[in-house]
Amino acid sequence: MESLGHVIRTPIYRSEFLSSNDLNVYLKLENLQRGGGSFKIRGVFFAVHRYMRDGYEHFLTVSTGNHAVALAYVANVLKVRATVVVPETTPRAKVEDMERYGAEVIKYGRSYVEAERKALEIVSGNPRIKLVHTFNDYYIIAGHATIGLEILEDLPSVNAILIPLGGGALPAGVSYLMRHVKPDVKVYGVQPESAPFYVLSLKEGRPVVLSDIRTIADGLASRPGEIPFEYIRRYLGGIYLVGENNIEKAIYLLLKHEHVVAEGGAGAIAIGPVINGNLAKDFGQGNTGNVVAVITGSHIDMERLRSIIEQFNS
């Protein structure tokens, strides 16, 4: 895999602010990753590299942001063509990064589901374009699982891992890895209360799509993937739901106390179960645990960040 020098090993450290006598909370800073400041580059590099072996030179994806930025970056590095379809609501900062890396950006629809229909339409009309799906791809899932390997190497005593849950590729990969390498480590997904499609999917026993999702966690305003769903159903330890106010609070607290810039969905939400107290209940009084929260992305609109700071400073 020719990603050495482009995909970096991100740091992990104990948060003094978030930790307590019973709970050691560590942050895995994927927001410092290359290719747009998110974990997405891991799976994208692996997938594109493999598909290039099949002769593809034009890659397309649909994304609410970070995956598309990662594809644009990888395509630029590997000298291939990239087209990305994003919802019209995608933050401006993410679109600017896609264009800066040379990708063609197509804005379509008001939701991920609508943008995905457009992407599938483009691919079906041109078999020479390879769709690199943000979560419904085995190579993407495998590439993302490398985060789990780094956590085990840097913190062998880890007890639990908190991961933002959107389409599901990252928690699918990490939970599968842990079940087969260190099964006593619990992997939890974290979703917005306003977008609980995986909670509903697990109850129904099949992927459930929500047509109208409104959340500050735009990176998680997606749908459950058919491939990740099977991994999550079998290997994920559970799902925590976090309210909008706590997502905004998480962004603020990470910035204020840890000097970490994290977007709402693909990052800050991972500490939601810590700050709202739900995680501590699972460990119980007097029990200690080492928990890693994966801060998966750094993209946040400056106006939104300013608004959040003003809200909690007032």
Side-chain angles (χ1 to χ4, degrees), residues 18 23 25 27 162-164 188-193 220 239-251 253-254 262-265 267-280 291-295:
L18 293 171
L23 204 61
V25 179
L27 304 179
L162 298 171
I163 301 177
Y188 297 97
V190 187
Q191 274 198 310
E193 285 182 354
L220 304 182
I239 297 175
Y240 288 102
L241 295 178
V242 179
E244 294 297 301
N245 184 259
N246 272 328
I247 297 174
E248 293 179 336
K249 185 177 180 181
I251 294 171
L253 293 176
L254 283 173
E263 61 188 89
I269 196 174
I271 70 166
V274 178
I275 63 176
N276 66 18
N278 288 336
L279 183 68
V291 177
V292 175
V294 183
I295 309 303

Side-chain angles (χ1 to χ4, degrees), residues 54 74 78 99 168 178 252 282 294:
D54 297 328
V74 170
L78 298 179
E99 294 174 336
M178 291 301 168
Y252 175 76
D282 286 347
V294 183

